[in-house]
Amino acid sequence: METKDTTMSMLRMDKGENEGQRDKGRQDAGGEEEGTQQENGRLMLADGLAERGPKSLTSGSGQQVSNGFTTSTPQSPKEGPGTAACAVGTTTGPGGGTGSSVPLGGLRTLVVQQTSLDRPRETWSKKMDFLLSVIGYAVDLGNVWRFPYICYQNGGGAFLLPYLLMAVFGGVPLFYMELALGQFHRSGCISIWKHICPIFKGIGFAICIIALYIAFYYNTIMAWALYYLISSFHPTLPWTTCTNSWNTANCNRYMSSDHNVSWSNSSTSPAEEFYTRQVLQVHLSPGLHQLGSVSWQLALCLLFIFTIVYFSIWKGVKTSGKVVWVTATFPYLVLLVLLIRGATLPGAWRGVVFYLKPDWEKLLSTTVWIDAAAQIFFSLGPGFGVLLAFASYNPFHNNCYKDALVTSSVNCLTSFLSGFVIFTVLGYMAEMRQQSVDAVAKDAGPSLLFIIYAEAIANMPAATFFAIIFFLMIIMLGLDSTFAGLEGVITAMLDEFPHVLAKRREWFVFGLVCVCYLGALSTLTYGGAFVVKLFEEYATGPAVITVVLLEVIAVSWFYGTNRFCNDVQLMLGFAPGCFWRVCWVAICPCFLLFIIISFLAFPPEVRLFHYQYPPWTTVLGYCIGVSSFICVPAYMVYHLLNAKGTFKQRLLKSITPEPSSDNHRDFIVTNAV
């Protein structure tokens, strides 16, 4: 039998930037070598099989999908987009036709599969790393203070009905949609839009700006908790007495054991004065127009928080996935301990009854439904780019449907559990002060934790121990949410500018953390608490809800629900049912539009302590919110101006998804003896 030399064609590199090396292989008739592997690609030598043509490589054995994968069988968890798969060879006779089965000495086919020179996409070390990261992101400080307060304010047990309805028809479908999008397209919140609807790419930039605004104020709350944690190591908790340098003449330690103390409307508790006059020092600032100096104690606390954040996320999800085993599980241990302790306190039953006693008449109020919709949305957290980023590191065939149901259920149950933890203690406080629970629980937000709960802990036996674990829990609840928020930005920027940032991740993360720290300095001033409240009310809420509304419209109406469901079926083996389709097309947009209209129709009356925010702060708040959302229309104009062709051609191109080239597998087939 004749032998012939076959010179392989040059391998094409990813995006045409690098050229492969030419490799000349010569094989004898015995066919001793089964295959050869090059640096730039993988060569696979397959035995010739009868009646198999080259077309079987693309048409017979697999199907081409919209994200560029050529699949025939589901990937194993360890198989990534760049993993080489075995291909069936072709037997060729001397005349070039397809022949029947030939012995070992016959002709064989070399199949060259291109692999990318880019780094393979990072994946989670374990499935539990992903689940704990998502749970840690969804379960945050708002679950501990916001849900219990809103629940009792809006009808107690009756509030659970609108809350569950909003979760089923609004929150969970959005949660599921983002996990599926991120896992299928394997991209962050910026670059993913070229595969969905390119003209909406500005949504990704808006999400990144919103995430920065959140980082500016959210971590400051952890700095307050760290200050409390350090203060808890004193022999006597400093917020239990009125003899400190920061206390005023109005300070009264009013508990049932203090029979000689009379409480008046002008009286303040030692816990309140510690929080406002020692930690925040808010009495030194007249308002937002004059914030005052930066508190060096809080500045050091925040620096320590950001140091932990940096070394937890600088290497990617491999490191942050390990950290969340502590930060996501420890709060549940503390909640369980505090629940058992709270249930044994005198008067605990009063708080539980007040928490769950249903007031069905309040369900007729629109405010209750608005609060339920807003609470479930901000609790699950779609629209912040985090779910897209986390899911993009999953294996392609991971069951994200099951993940969405499990993590969203855990989040809602945690909120419900937190209500018992908070209100058993509030019932105890009401019993000790001989007041109603309503009078004790009048404060919402951080004040509920740093004043009311801190004071209750101080009056328990083993107060130091409970104070330490409680404020550790607050810090850890905030940490994993910060990990997630910054990871959403990091993934988005690295996917959008891979050649610039991929090998400089550590430096980019360092720069991002520095920007967040500098941006947070205004919240560390004497009037910093006023800035935190302003950011919380205006800078993030309306903007992110509007962004998610556009995201749902882009996916359901432009990309197409059928196409999206086909993508999900390719990943999971089954398509979403009619319920999910109806939610994505109609119910979720109405759900989000309902929140936006209600916010515009009934803007929140912002007030903190005794400071009433002046009208100009409302304008400032809306300007901060619009500064992120403006990215969406600005990019639309930019995209249309830079496209080529007539206006109609530009418009059609701008709403047409681009095929993914990064994960596409090219095959070069050559013949050899």
Side-chain angles (χ1 to χ4, degrees), residues 145-146 149-150 153 213-214 216-218 220-221 224 275 280 282 287-288 291 442-448 522-542 599 604-614 617-618 620-622 624:
W145 79 57
R146 182 175 170 83
Y149 179 83
I150 287 182
Q153 190 182 46
Y213 287 159
I214 294 174
F216 289 167
Y217 77 87
Y218 189 81
T220 301
I221 301 174
W224 300 344
Y275 177 59
L280 303 182
V282 73
L288 280 171
L291 294 176
K442 62 182 179 180
D443 293 320
S447 300
L448 185 64
S522 63
T523 65
L524 304 176
T525 58
Y526 299 144
F530 303 137
V531 181
V532 170
K533 186 71 173 178
L534 184 72
F535 270 100
E536 185 182 3
E537 293 291 344
Y538 291 106
T540 56
F599 181 87
E605 183 181 352
V606 185
R607 181 186 180 92
L608 184 64
F609 305 126
H610 301 294
Y611 178 66
Q612 184 72 41
Y613 282 65
T617 59
T618 303
L620 176 62
Y622 278 117
I624 296 174

Side-chain angles (χ1 to χ4, degrees), residues 46-65:
D47 291 336
L49 299 178
E51 299 180 0
R52 285 292 187 96
K55 289 184 179 179
S56 66
L57 289 172
T58 55
S59 60
S61 61
Q63 59 181 10
Q64 189 69 35
V65 296

Side-chain angles (χ1 to χ4, degrees), residues 90-324:
T90 308
T91 58
T92 317
T98 302
S100 59
S101 182
V102 277
L104 186 61
L107 296 181
R108 295 178 179 179
T109 299
L110 281 175
V111 180
V112 182
Q113 179 180 355
Q114 173 185 336
T115 57
S116 173
L117 276 184
D118 292 341
R119 292 180 176 182
R121 190 168 188 85
E122 192 176 12
T123 56
W124 298 98
S125 299
K126 297 178 181 177
K127 176 66 174 287
M128 280 302 296
D129 292 358
F130 165 70
L131 292 177
L132 288 175
S133 295
V134 174
I135 291 172
Y137 161 66
V139 178
D140 63 355
L141 296 175
N143 293 72
V144 178
W145 79 57
R146 182 175 170 83
F147 177 82
Y149 179 83
I150 287 182
C151 187
Y152 99 81
Q153 190 182 46
N154 292 289
F159 177 76
L160 297 178
L161 177 61
Y163 179 77
L164 291 176
L165 287 176
M166 291 297 178
V168 170
F169 292 100
V172 177
L174 292 171
F175 197 87
Y176 176 27
M177 183 188 75
E178 285 212 353
L179 287 182
L181 283 173
Q183 184 171 304
F184 184 82
H185 295 287
R186 305 178 74 83
S187 299
C189 62
I190 297 178
S191 55
I192 194 174
W193 288 102
K194 65 183 178 182
H195 308 308
I196 298 175
C197 190
I199 200 172
F200 283 98
K201 192 175 182 179
I203 290 177
F205 293 105
I207 289 173
C208 290
I209 295 175
I210 292 171
L212 286 179
Y213 287 159
I214 294 174
F216 289 167
Y217 77 87
Y218 189 81
N219 298 281
T220 301
I221 301 174
M222 283 187 285
W224 300 344
L226 181 59
Y227 192 103
Y228 269 84
L229 178 64
I230 296 171
S231 302
S232 300
F233 288 95
H234 287 78
T236 302
L237 295 179
W239 59 87
T240 60
T241 62
C242 292
T243 58
N244 303 288
S245 59
W246 58 82
N247 291 128
T248 65
N250 293 328
C251 180
N252 281 324
R253 187 176 185 271
Y254 181 63
M255 301 299 284
S256 62
S257 58
D258 302 324
H259 300 290
N260 298 325
V261 177
S262 59
W263 188 268
S264 65
N265 292 332
S266 61
S267 298
T268 55
S269 67
E272 181 180 349
E273 291 199 350
F274 178 78
Y275 177 59
T276 59
R277 299 180 62 85
Q278 175 64 10
V279 179
L280 303 182
Q281 302 182 65
V282 73
H283 64 287
L284 299 177
S285 171
L288 280 171
H289 62 283
Q290 189 176 341
L291 294 176
S293 304
V294 173
S295 170
W296 66 268
Q297 298 99 324
L298 292 180
L300 289 179
C301 288
L302 187 64
L303 180 62
F304 181 75
I305 293 294
F306 271 119
T307 302
I308 296 176
V309 170
Y310 174 71
F311 286 107
S312 298
I313 64 175
W314 68 324
K315 292 293 186 181
V317 296
K318 295 288 187 184
T319 55
S320 64
K322 298 295 181 290
V323 177
V324 294

Side-chain angles (χ1 to χ4, degrees), residues 440-458:
V440 175
K442 62 182 179 180
D443 293 320
S447 300
L448 185 64
L449 301 180
F450 294 113
I451 297 178
I452 305 299
Y453 209 92
E455 184 177 353
I457 287 176

